[in-house]
Structure formats: C-alpha cells, structure tokens
Amino acid sequence: MAVFPRPRQALVIASVVGLAISAAACGGDDSGSGNGDSADCAAFDKYDGNDGKKVSIYASIRDTEADLLEQSWEQFTECTGIDIDYEGSGEFEAQLQVRVDGGNAPDIAFIPQPGLLATFAKAGKLKAAPADTKSAAEANYPADWLKYSTVDGTFYGAPLGSNVKSFVWYSPKQFQEKGYAVPKTWAELISLSDKIASTDQKPWCAGIESGDATGWPATDWLEDLMLRTAGPEVYDQWVTHAIPFNAPQVATAMNQAGEILKNPKYVNGGFGEVKSISTTSFQEAGLPILEGKCSLHRQASFYANQWPEGTKVAEDGDVFAFYFPAVDPSKGEPVLAAGEFTVAFADRPEVQAVQNYLATPDYANSRAKLGNWVSGSRGADINNFANPIDKLSVQILQDQSKVLRFDGSDLMPSAVGAGTLWRGMVDWINGRDTATTLSTVESSWK
C-alpha cells in the first residue's frame, strides 16, 4: 500500500520513464502575496491571488515521509500565502470514505488506489482536474500512467510519487560476514533461505499490520508472484476479473508466496511464529535485520524511510535492497510498482493552484532533493536522487526491458482490493487455506 502506498484498470505501466527532481525555486510577487522574497518567488506568480487561503490535504503518508512532504511545498506556501493543512492517517482508505459520506471531504487527497479513485469519481464526488494540471501531467508522464486517474474519459489528477515494490531488503554487512550471495533467481532465493534457516536464525521477517489497511503488504507478495508465475497478460485478466479471483493461476502464486510466508522454518525472525506476521506493523517488520535476527525482508522502495536515523542505506551499507527474483526466466523480470494521484473534492481557485503546482516538474524536483522519494515525472532530474535506493528505483522504472505492472489490489474495486482481499490475506496468514481464502474474495467481487 502506499503508505505508500499503493495504487490499484489493468494497464501496463509501460515504461515509467524518468523520475525526478530539481528543487523548485520559490515564487512570489511584488503585490505582497505570501512572505517570500519577490526575486525568489517569481516562479510562483501564476498562483497569485490566493494569499491567506487554506487548503486541506489528506493522505496515507505519515511519519518521516510526511515531514518531508510538508517541507517540499514550504516555498510554495511562503510565496503564495496559501496555507496547506496536511493530515496523514494509517486509516486513510476507510476514513476518507467516512469523511466524504459525512460531507467533510478534504480539499485534496493523495489516493494510491485507482479503484478507490474510480469509486469517488463515479459517485460524482471528485472534481475534474484543472486544464493546467492536465497539461502538466500530459507533458511529464507516460500516457499509460495517466489512464489510472482517468474515469469515463475525465482526468481527475496527476501522479505524485511512485515506488518500486519488487525489492528484498538485506544487510550487505551481514551478507559479507557470512559469505551469502545476493540471489538472482527464485531457486537461489529459496536455497539461501534454507541455508540461513539451518543456522540459529530465521531467514525472513515480515509484518502486515497497518491499522485499517492491515493486510496490504501480503497482497504485494501475491501480486509479485502472479507476475512471476502467471505472467503479465494473466495478471491483467486477474485484476480486471476477466478470470475468477480463485483461478488456478492465482492459487499457484499464493502457494508460492506461502512457501516463504507460511513456512515456520523461515519466519518470523525477531517476532515469533507465522501468525505474528499479522500483528507486526509493516513499519517495524524489517528492523530485526539490523539486530541480526533475520536476513531478508520483502518491501517496497519507500521502506528506506523506516530505518532508524543514522542507518546507512547503500550497497556497502547497513541495509540495501535487491530485486525480488524472477521465478520463470521466460516471463522476464517483472516489476510491481505503485504511487499516488492528487485528486480534488473542491474546485476553489486556491485548491486548483495547489493541484496545479503538485503536477509540475518544479514540485517533483523540489521534493526529490529532500530525499527518500521516487517520481515518474519526465521533468525530474535523476541527479537529484541522493538516496541509492531511489536511484536504483529510477533505473528499474526507466529500464524498458522490464515488464511493469501497477499494484493489483489498488487497481481492483476498492471493496475488493482494499476490502476483502486485505482481510483475506490476514486470514490466510492466520491459518486459512488458499482455496477458501481465494473463493471468499471471489464471492465478494460484484
């Protein structure tokens, strides 16, 4: 999920080109709008006339990521005088629906599930994106990416951040000390897991607790294994329900995930037995790597933000990540990716100004220079990515030889992808068999 969290139209992210950034110069004007110096604020003249206005933003982005997010638009707010009131929540998906239904919708939301976005759009709750937002998005993002926020021909919002989900985190230091090699194939991954399990350490640590969104990290395992065992075409059929949710190919992928997640010899390093996965928060799940209590943790690029301050994230550092290996070489090296879309429930001028700005390369570059972020914007300068895992993510997203797909549960109708599937994965971890789990989700798809 996004916590990134995670968006959810069965379309290829074809090639999510270029990613990100060159810090935006702050803008203002000589008319007194905002507090920025007029010379520094010239780039923001187009947003004049909104001094003193407030815009509320609601999203799933929290903790360190939220702090960086608020820093990324500081110059914009200083120069325009627009006050952005940001709130991040671990119960974002459920509470956004509650707020909208209660007539208390935020002005803007960063929605990581195209399925949920489509639900609000079809209900007439979202405002079409302003012309400037649409123009900026079309100029800076691949057309396939923009289809995720287009419903019945109406474009509702530009992408914000992106992330690569097909990563396994590890400790280069530990691997060097113990003579472990980074696995390049699924067979090598299992062989390494067996080797570590033969010591006094569990090879894997995992956690899928995430408040009201508990279960989403387990769906990433299923989606990655669907791409690796069934291939991208069947994956597309699965997320659009062209094949049943409990089709044999899905069961094969889930059982392959279970080869690791439900193997008591493999998990849950540092926390307990298999069932502890369902109560371990995704934020804390990989931390035992630093204590030598586990060696491997599958999680997205944004997990770089969860390591304690002072942790060196690099190929020769305390932690780094390698590509989650392919299972069938004939199906290439598929990559699971996700991101959020900036959509609006209000169309006041100040709201449109914020939405317009967040769609620009200026914003992408501003955010990128702060680190721990990935963007799919063509206007973003890759040299602005200081974090090695961000650079690696950009390289993967730009590699046109790779098969990319958007997070499947985010693409599905929200009642399924962010509902019965999330809950089903929790039940599966806690002991429910694959066939029952998949059939339960299938019966919920209307």
Side-chain angles (χ1 to χ4, degrees):
M1 131 182 185
V3 162
F4 210 158
R6 318 170 328 297
R8 304 159 195 259
Q9 326 189 4
L11 300 153
V12 186
I13 298 182
S15 44
V16 184
V17 247
L19 294 148
I21 320 102
S22 63
C26 198
D29 59 82
D30 295 321
S31 64
S33 291
N35 302 308
D37 179 86
S38 60
D40 294 334
C41 291
F44 295 92
D45 286 349
K46 66 184 81 171
Y47 307 112
D48 281 354
N50 296 298
D51 192 14
K53 303 290 181 63
K54 178 177 286 190
V55 174
S56 62
I57 298 180
Y58 188 50
S60 62
I61 302 170
R62 296 174 287 159
D63 306 325
T64 302
E65 289 181 85
D67 294 339
L68 294 172
L69 189 66
E70 294 193 75
Q71 288 180 48
S72 69
W73 55 59
E74 272 184 0
Q75 289 185 315
F76 172 83
T77 59
E78 290 173 2
C79 291
T80 64
I82 297 175
D83 178 15
I84 295 180
D85 181 14
Y86 176 75
E87 179 184 356
S89 170
E91 285 72 49
F92 169 75
E93 287 80 8
Q95 290 304 310
L96 179 61
Q97 185 72 62
V98 170
R99 294 186 185 196
V100 173
D101 291 345
N104 188 35
D107 294 323
I108 288 174
F110 300 153
I111 297 183
Q113 302 93 354
L116 182 60
L117 186 157
T119 297
F120 287 126
K122 290 177 182 293
K125 302 296 185 180
L126 295 181
K127 303 297 182 182
D132 285 352
T133 297
K134 185 177 182 182
S135 295
E138 290 174 343
N140 291 287
Y141 293 91
D144 283 332
W145 187 269
L146 302 184
K147 292 177 183 177
Y148 295 118
S149 57
T150 299
V151 181
D152 296 333
T154 299
F155 177 69
Y156 288 98
L160 188 71
S162 307
N163 61 83
V164 171
K165 293 203 164 191
S166 302
F167 278 138
V168 178
W169 289 87
Y170 73 109
S171 167
K173 189 181 301 183
Q174 180 191 116
F175 269 44
Q176 184 175 23
E177 290 173 355
K178 301 196 173 184
Y180 299 151
V182 170
K184 303 296 185 184
T185 66
W186 181 264
E188 289 178 0
L189 182 67
I190 296 302
S191 177
L192 174 62
S193 299
D194 287 336
K195 184 175 183 178
I196 298 171
S198 69
T199 68
D200 58 355
Q201 177 180 301
K202 295 286 183 70
W204 291 86
C205 41
I208 64 172
E209 189 280 321
S210 185
D212 285 353
T214 294
W216 72 259
T219 70
D220 289 354
W221 278 84
L222 176 58
E223 291 150 5
D224 248 336
L225 269 304
M226 273 294 291
L227 283 173
R228 283 156 176 71
T229 58
E233 290 76 18
V234 174
Y235 180 92
D236 293 342
Q237 295 168 5
W238 174 55
V239 300
T240 55
H241 208 216
I243 61 171
F245 200 95
N246 56 350
Q249 301 97 317
V250 189
T252 295
M254 182 171 271
N255 287 332
Q256 191 110 30
E259 188 176 342
I260 291 175
L261 288 178
K262 299 185 78 168
N263 186 340
K265 294 181 180 179
Y266 284 2
V267 294
N268 189 19
F271 297 106
E273 298 305 314
V274 172
K275 289 184 179 180
S276 70
I277 293 174
S278 65
T279 55
T280 300
S281 73
F282 88 91
Q283 295 98 329
E284 296 178 353
L287 302 186
I289 288 177
L290 295 175
E291 302 167 4
K293 294 179 179 178
C294 71
S295 299
L296 305 164
H297 176 58
R298 187 216 163 281
Q299 190 49 273
S301 55
F302 58 74
Y303 198 75
N305 295 318
Q306 302 303 327
W307 301 107
E309 186 176 353
T311 302
K312 182 180 179 181
V313 179
E315 210 161 1
D316 61 348
D318 302 310
V319 291
F320 200 56
F322 59 81
Y323 170 73
F324 190 49
V327 173
D328 183 351
S330 71
K331 293 182 172 61
E333 295 186 335
V335 176
L336 187 68
E340 317 95 359
F341 297 86
T342 301
V343 299
F345 292 89
D347 55 5
R348 303 189 311 276
E350 64 272 22
V351 175
Q352 293 190 336
V354 173
Q355 198 175 12
N356 289 343
Y357 172 61
L358 295 177
T360 65
D362 282 347
Y363 173 75
N365 285 309
S366 174
R367 173 63 187 87
K369 282 197 170 182
L370 296 175
N372 295 335
W373 191 69
V374 173
S375 166
S377 173
R378 291 191 184 105
D381 183 354
I382 193 171
N383 294 315
N384 286 324
F385 290 97
N387 186 320
I389 202 66
D390 292 347
K391 283 187 179 294
L392 178 58
S393 298
V394 173
Q395 291 167 357
I396 289 175
L397 290 171
Q398 290 182 333
D399 186 348
Q400 297 187 38
S401 70
K402 294 192 182 298
V403 174
L404 287 107
R405 289 295 189 273
F406 207 76
D407 182 295
S409 57
D410 288 339
L411 290 171
M412 296 170 187
S414 56
V416 177
T420 54
L421 179 53
W422 286 358
R423 294 192 295 272
M425 297 306 291
V426 175
D427 293 338
W428 180 72
I429 286 292
N430 285 333
R432 179 171 287 182
D433 64 274
T434 293
T436 303
T437 300
L438 296 181
S439 294
T440 299
V441 179
E442 166 62 21
S443 66
S444 73
W445 197 312
K446 300 178 182 179

